[in-house]
């Protein structure tokens, strides 16, 4: 498949095309299934850049109100995903997270006894109120449980995957009582297929390797999930569309799905920009694209005067810097 055709279709499916923008932050996240949120501030723009009316406040409000959940999910990394998808996604991905983290927990001395005690202590604690990371750490310390550094971080991942904590307002933690009850119980096969559907509707054209990387699923599971989708060459497709890509530049968030959502990024990220955008320790810097291709990088500005060029108009609106 020609790179131009791939970019045209991804541009539309990724909701970067003006004709594809949507009304609410939750709609954006639901469409993607899950969106990388390793950097909280940048992930707000990742969602906001795909809204008809870009608003940082609207994205924050959706997260604070629990419409969007922010916690560890695909590949054991932090993602945004819709509260409507919480139960089936967590049930599907939690075993993979456990497989990734179990060796680390063992090295850190996080025994089953410690994990069990921490689960009971934290479940009781968050039942009363929303808590900050510091408040949670202090409470664990009072109960002689891991409360700092990597052991504490691993404990948070464990508690999240066990549905004991989830994200609350202003980057806090709360219980899952406000999350809607699951209306449909997915079999594992159905859940994997639904994840593939979300991936292709938001990332196609994409390859088997791309989906395996993004989802963290095995090749066997991924092949099963993609079996009923149309394929051209090695690329699985959603509905093909001919989209005229705007030649104006677009500032992307750090860790944006346009780049991080694929194993092979060479179509949009040339070798010349590889080290500038992706650091050796796996940080994805904010990029500027033109015709879908990375042509620069940027840093979060503090003043509107720092933003030169029409392509910043939507970001200025998003940040309410008018």
């Amino acid at each position: 498949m020609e790179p131009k055709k791939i970019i045209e279709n991804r541009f539309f499916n990724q909701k970067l095309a003006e004709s594809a923008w949507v009304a609410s932050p939750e709609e954006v996240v639901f469409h993607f299934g899950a969106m990388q949120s390793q950097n909280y501030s940048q992930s707000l723009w990742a969602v906001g850049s795909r809204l008809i009316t870009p608003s940082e406040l609207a994205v924050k409000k959706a997260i604070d109100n629990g419409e969007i959940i922010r916690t560890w999910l695909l590949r054991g990394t932090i993602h945004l995903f819709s509260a409507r998808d919480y139960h089936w996604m967590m049930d599907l991905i939690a075993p993979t997270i456990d497989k990734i983290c179990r060796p680390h927990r063992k090295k850190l001395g996080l025994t089953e006894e410690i994990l069990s005690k921490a689960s009971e202590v934290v479940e009781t604690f968050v039942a009363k109120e929303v808590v900050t990371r510091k408040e949670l750490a202090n409470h664990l310390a009072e109960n002689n449980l891991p409360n700092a550094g990597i052991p504490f971080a691993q404990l948070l991942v464990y508690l999240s995957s066990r549905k004991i904590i989830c994200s609350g307002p202003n980057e806090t933690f709360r219980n899952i009582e406000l999350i809607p009850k699951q209306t449909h119980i997915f079999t594992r096969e159905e859940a994997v297929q639904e994840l593939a559907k979300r991936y292709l509707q938001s990332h196609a054209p994409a390859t088997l390797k791309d989906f395996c990387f993004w989802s963290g699923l095995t090749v066997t599971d991924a092949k099963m999930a993609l079996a009923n989708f149309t394929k051209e060459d090695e690329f699985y497709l959603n509905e093909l569309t001919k989209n005229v890509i705007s030649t104006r530049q677009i500032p992307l968030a750090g860790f944006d799905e346009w780049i991080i959502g694929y194993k092979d990024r060479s179509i949009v990220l040339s070798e010349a920009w590889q080290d500038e955008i992706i650091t050796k320790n796996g940080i994805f810097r904010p990029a500027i694209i033109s015709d879908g291709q990375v042509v620069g990088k940027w840093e979060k500005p503090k003043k509107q005067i720092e933003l030169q060029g029409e392509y910043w108009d939507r970001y200025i609106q998003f940040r309410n810097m008018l």
Side-chain angles (χ1 to χ4, degrees), residues 22-31 35 44 47-48 51 53 55-63 67-68 80 82:
V22 299
S24 77
E26 191 272 345
E27 286 180 69
V28 175
V29 176
F30 185 83
H31 171 76
M35 298 178 74
L44 299 178
V47 177
L51 294 174
T53 305
S55 167
E56 186 175 43
L57 182 61
V59 183
K60 284 182 177 179
K61 187 176 179 180
I63 296 171
E67 298 169 34
I68 295 172
L80 299 176
S82 171

Side-chain angles (χ1 to χ4, degrees), residues 1 3-15 31-32 196-207 210-211 214 226 229-232 234-241 257-258 261-262 267:
M1 184 179 290
K4 184 176 183 294
K5 186 176 181 180
I6 294 170
I7 290 175
E8 283 180 343
N9 283 274
R10 285 184 183 176
F11 201 67
F12 182 82
N13 291 331
Q14 287 243 357
K15 302 295 184 185
H31 171 76
F32 275 84
K197 173 189 170 184
R198 300 291 185 85
Y199 178 72
L200 287 185
Q201 74 181 19
S202 58
H203 291 78
T207 66
D210 290 331
F211 179 54
W214 179 83
L226 295 170
F229 287 93
T230 303
K231 191 177 180 184
E232 184 175 326
E234 62 181 315
F235 291 92
Y236 289 88
L237 309 174
N238 195 33
E239 293 182 13
L240 284 174
T241 181
E257 291 292 325
W258 184 254
Y262 306 90
I267 293 171

